[in-house]
């Protein structure tokens, strides 16, 4: 996410490739958005990850969600998730959101390997919590496994 609270100067970084993918399963009530960036060098990708993972990230997650939802949301406390050491750079967070139908989770997974930086957002009902971690681990491993450093 980008937001007024965090605007790192990335003018020294060069993105050489970019791809996005979106998946929505109405039956499961889940949405997955993935965004992959390739940088000119592994050092540039690591620099982008480090600039991104600042304390203001929580504020930006909330800002991004409000901006994309276009509605007033009740958000609970951001929680850090532990997906283990899947690759060189890993960070993941959960932002619980209260809606009329109950609670949904907006999980953010950030992975980096070599020149690649991957951002994944999984939105799912809290009722899927028992399956969510396993799903996210499989998804992250699959995506990282298909990338090259």
């Amino acid at each position: 996410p980008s937001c007024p609270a965090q605007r790192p100067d990335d003018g020294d970084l060069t993105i050489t490739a970019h791809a996005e993918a979106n998946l929505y399963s109405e039956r499961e009530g889940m949405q997955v958005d993935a965004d992959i960036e390739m940088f000119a060098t592994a050092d540039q990708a690591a620099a982008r990850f480090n600039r991104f993972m600042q304390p203001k990230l929580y504020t930006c997650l909330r800002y991004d969600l409000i901006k994309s939802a276009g509605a007033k949301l009740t958000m609970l406390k951001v929680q850090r998730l532990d997906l283990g050491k899947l690759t060189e750079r890993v960070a993941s967070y959960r932002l619980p959101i209260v809606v009329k139908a109950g609670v949904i989770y907006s999980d953010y997974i950030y992975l980096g390997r070599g020149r690649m930086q991957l951002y994944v957002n999984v939105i799912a009902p809290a009722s899927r919590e028992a399956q969510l971690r396993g799903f996210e681990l499989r998804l992250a491993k699959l995506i990282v496994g298909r990338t090259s450093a």
Side-chain angles (χ1 to χ4, degrees), residues 47-66:
R48 176 63 179 131
F49 183 85
N50 292 332
R51 291 173 190 173
F52 198 70
M53 293 300 140
Q54 298 299 316
K56 293 180 181 177
L57 177 63
Y58 294 158
T59 302
C60 292
L61 294 177
R62 291 175 182 276
Y63 174 86
D64 192 53
L65 197 55
I66 289 170

Side-chain angles (χ1 to χ4, degrees), residues 20-41:
E20 293 181 35
N22 303 309
L23 170 69
Y24 177 70
S25 172
E26 188 173 338
R27 188 183 76 150
E28 300 296 325
M30 292 179 64
Q31 176 179 324
V32 178
D33 300 308
D35 192 336
I36 300 173
E37 297 172 335
M38 286 294 260
F39 289 84
T41 66

Side-chain angles (χ1 to χ4, degrees), residues 56-107:
K56 293 180 181 177
L57 177 63
Y58 294 158
T59 302
C60 292
L61 294 177
R62 291 175 182 276
Y63 174 86
D64 192 53
L65 197 55
I66 289 170
K67 187 174 145 190
S68 65
K72 184 171 178 159
L73 301 171
T74 301
M75 292 177 262
L76 305 177
K77 184 180 178 187
V78 175
Q79 306 161 12
R80 187 158 187 137
L81 300 175
D82 182 10
L83 293 179
K85 186 70 173 164
L86 299 171
T87 189
E88 296 167 22
R89 301 177 297 275
V90 179
S92 54
Y93 304 91
R94 171 169 290 158
L95 179 54
I97 306 156
V98 179
V99 295
K100 289 180 184 178
V103 175
I104 59 173
Y105 293 145
S106 184
D107 290 357

